[in-house]
């Protein structure tokens, strides 16, 4: 099946969309092992932000973060809910030191405040009302993100984030 990967310079994490499917490749000694931390909830997609791996917990509105620069350390309490809409998170992606939490219908954006115990906070006033049901269509390139989603009538659309605004990049025939 599909996997998502991200690295922190020391480790490469791989998740496969299941609650137990997570592996770490240690880039310093090339060892590879499954993540066995009790608090690890699995993820569909994973990204990196300011020393933390962040993933969306499958079939929920919850995102989770790892220990600082340690993809083997996961605390079950290091989670938060994307609360702007009741849709499930399907993907996470980082751009401009902010993580986009992408749901089936909406997108919220978080950043690292440095606070404890929860270092992440929503960017106030940012709420995008076009999500995706195709988590692996979400891509970060050219300092923005692209994704496949729908418009308000339910038609399939290719979107690009123009700052915090969704911009349609596909034509009606496409």
């Amino acid at each position: 099946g599909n996997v998502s990967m991200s690295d922190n310079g020391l480790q490469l994490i791989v998740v496969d969309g299941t609650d137990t499917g997570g592996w770490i490749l240690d880039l310093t000694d090339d060892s590879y092992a499954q993540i066995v931390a009790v608090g690890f909830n699995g993820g569909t997609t994973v990204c990196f932000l300011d020393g933390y791996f962040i993933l969306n917990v499958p079939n929920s509105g919850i995102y989770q973060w790892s220990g600082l620069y340690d993809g083997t350390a996961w605390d079950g309490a290091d989670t938060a809910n994307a609360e702007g809409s009741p849709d499930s998170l399907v993907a996470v992606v980082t751009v401009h030191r902010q993580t986009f939490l992408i749901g089936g219908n909406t997108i919220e954006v978080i950043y690292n405040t440095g606070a404890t115990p929860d270092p992440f906070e929503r960017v106030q006033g940012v709420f995008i009302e076009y999500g995706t049901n195709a988590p692996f269509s979400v891509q970060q390139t050219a300092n923005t993100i692209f994704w496949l989603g729908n418009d308000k009538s339910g038609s399939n659309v290719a979107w690009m984030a123009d700052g915090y605004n969704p911009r349609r990049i596909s034509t009606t025939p496409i």
Side-chain angles (χ1 to χ4, degrees):
N2 292 313
V3 298
S4 176
M5 296 182 251
S6 188
D7 78 275
N8 64 11
L10 302 170
Q11 300 169 318
L12 173 79
I13 185 171
V14 180
V15 295
D16 70 358
T18 67
D19 59 0
T20 58
W23 295 267
I24 292 290
L25 171 64
D26 187 312
L27 300 174
T28 62
D29 65 11
D30 291 334
S31 61
Y32 187 71
Q34 187 167 9
I35 299 170
V36 294
V38 174
F40 181 70
N41 293 312
T44 306
T45 61
V46 63
C47 61
F48 174 78
L49 176 64
D50 293 347
Y52 298 95
F53 289 119
I54 300 172
L55 51 78
N56 64 298
V57 176
N59 305 310
S60 76
I62 297 171
Y63 63 96
Q64 182 176 21
W65 57 92
S66 69
L68 193 59
Y69 285 99
D70 189 355
T72 64
W74 295 85
D75 184 331
D78 290 344
T79 63
N81 194 6
E83 298 174 340
S85 177
D87 58 342
S88 290
L89 290 179
V90 297
V92 294
V93 63
T94 297
V95 63
H96 296 295
R97 293 190 58 231
Q98 297 178 330
T99 297
F100 285 63
L101 306 172
I102 304 169
N105 300 312
T106 62
I107 300 173
E108 295 180 41
V109 182
I110 59 171
Y111 69 102
N112 184 356
T113 66
T116 57
D118 182 353
F120 302 104
E121 189 172 307
R122 284 190 305 190
V123 175
Q124 292 301 311
V126 176
F127 190 73
I128 301 170
E129 296 191 28
Y130 296 99
T132 186
N133 287 317
F136 299 102
S137 74
V138 178
Q139 298 297 313
Q140 184 273 341
T141 190
N143 288 319
T144 192
I145 65 167
F146 299 84
W147 71 98
L148 298 177
N150 330 353
D151 62 14
K152 294 298 179 189
S153 68
S155 299
N156 295 324
V157 175
W159 296 100
M160 177 183 105
D162 185 2
Y164 299 125
N165 296 309
R167 185 171 57 151
R168 183 183 182 134
I169 58 172
S170 60
T171 62
T172 301
I174 291 175

